[in-house]
Amino acid sequence: QLKAVIFDLDGVITDTAEYHFIAWKQLAEELGITFDRTFNEQLKGVSRMESLERILALGGQTERYTAAEKEALAHKKNEHYKQLIARMTPNDLLPGILDLLRELKRENVKIGLASASKNAFTVIERLQIGEYFDTIVDAAKIKHSKPHPEIFLTAAKQLQVDPSACVGVEDAQAGVAAIQAANMFAIGVGDKEALKEADYIVETTAELTYDAIVRAFYRE
Ligand code: BG6
Ligand code: MG
């Protein structure tokens, strides 16, 4: 029985996946490393430091910086990202998300947030949707990056719901893998090819209605 829906944030509830991309791309270019959207798929859902490591590895620069320098680079990216999210408003919710949150509440389905972002609380506040969430996992307390299931399992535990009664919603390959490793039903939002491992895929959040989720979940 469906008891909870656990959402990723960036790229699912709002288009901050694009802001992460813009901020990383700018930093990477300053370091002489270029990457495209295909490579960027591998950064989605991945923590700040791990994303930096992947970008440095792409540029063959893994050994070039000390730990302190890497911290400074990650900080620089985050300052840029914070500038980008500072102007967000409730208008930046992706299509259909607010209706979905309302409907889940009406149907007594619990709502959780499992974002790897340390900026998640700020973004939720800017979007003014904090009241809908029964739990928000604190990314700072999570040890293992997605695709490890830790963050989704933590959300389920905080909601006191068995993982098998949870649906996870993700735009990232690593996120879909994390949901499945947690033994939850994985819904992918975005490119059908990139997210082909998901149990159910929608191209945009507009298709993400309560009815669609219920139908997909019980078909399994
Ligand atoms: C994830 C994003 O939600 O959070 C990643 O998909 C990002 O792109 C990660 O790197 C960590 O975010 P932050 O805000 O803590 O740097
Ligand atoms: Mg995401």
Side-chain angles (χ1 to χ4, degrees):
Q1 210 195 334
L2 174 64
K3 293 210 172 120
V5 175
I6 301 172
F7 290 87
D8 172 46
L9 174 65
D10 300 320
V12 170
I13 286 177
T14 184
D15 202 13
T16 36
E18 189 63 19
Y19 293 164
H20 282 293
F21 174 64
I22 292 168
W24 279 128
K25 201 166 167 61
Q26 176 161 326
L27 181 84
E29 274 162 13
E30 287 170 20
L31 303 176
I33 304 167
T34 42
F35 66 89
D36 56 15
R37 287 184 182 272
T38 309
F39 177 78
N40 188 58
E41 288 300 316
Q42 295 176 39
L43 301 181
K44 288 184 179 175
V46 173
S47 72
R48 197 181 306 164
M49 285 313 280
E50 178 136 3
S51 296
L52 175 66
E53 290 292 350
R54 290 190 190 189
I55 292 167
L56 293 177
L58 176 75
Q61 300 187 7
T62 305
E63 310 293 329
R64 186 173 296 185
Y65 304 98
T66 64
E69 286 166 342
K70 286 178 183 174
E71 286 292 344
L73 292 173
H75 179 76
K76 191 170 184 191
K77 180 267 176 180
N78 193 49
E79 289 301 308
H80 186 190
Y81 180 72
K82 285 201 297 194
Q83 274 182 9
L84 295 172
I85 60 174
R87 290 160 178 272
M88 290 178 72
T89 72
N91 284 329
D92 292 302
L93 280 164
L94 281 168
I97 292 294
L98 192 58
D99 286 338
L100 176 60
L101 293 172
R102 287 190 178 133
E103 200 150 18
L104 290 170
K105 274 266 162 289
R106 217 179 299 137
E107 300 289 338
N108 281 316
V109 175
K110 288 186 177 172
I111 303 174
L113 192 77
S115 170
S117 173
K118 291 174 179 156
N119 294 295
F121 291 102
T122 307
V123 172
I124 291 292
E125 206 177 316
R126 303 273 341 145
L127 296 171
Q128 295 176 21
I129 52 170
E131 61 183 290
Y132 291 98
F133 289 87
D134 297 292
T135 198
I136 294 178
V137 178
D138 182 355
K141 296 193 178 127
I142 295 300
K143 288 197 197 73
H144 308 284
S145 253
K146 299 169 186 176
H148 193 284
E150 182 184 6
I151 194 162
F152 282 97
L153 291 173
T154 303
K157 198 170 188 182
Q158 288 178 186
L159 290 170
Q160 296 181 292
V161 172
D162 192 83
S164 64
C166 296
V167 164
V169 188
E170 266 286 355
D171 68 316
Q173 290 162 0
V176 165
I179 295 169
Q180 291 177 331
N183 192 31
M184 297 177 187
F185 187 85
I187 298 185
V189 183
D191 184 69
K192 287 212 152 68
E193 189 48 37
L195 299 171
K196 58 178 183 290
E197 302 299 327
D199 300 304
Y200 180 70
I201 305 170
V202 292
E203 277 180 55
T204 75
T205 52
E207 299 159 61
L208 205 60
T209 62
Y210 174 71
D211 282 347
I213 292 174
V214 167
R215 262 183 275 124
F217 182 79
Y218 289 105
R219 208 188 307 144
E220 276 277 303

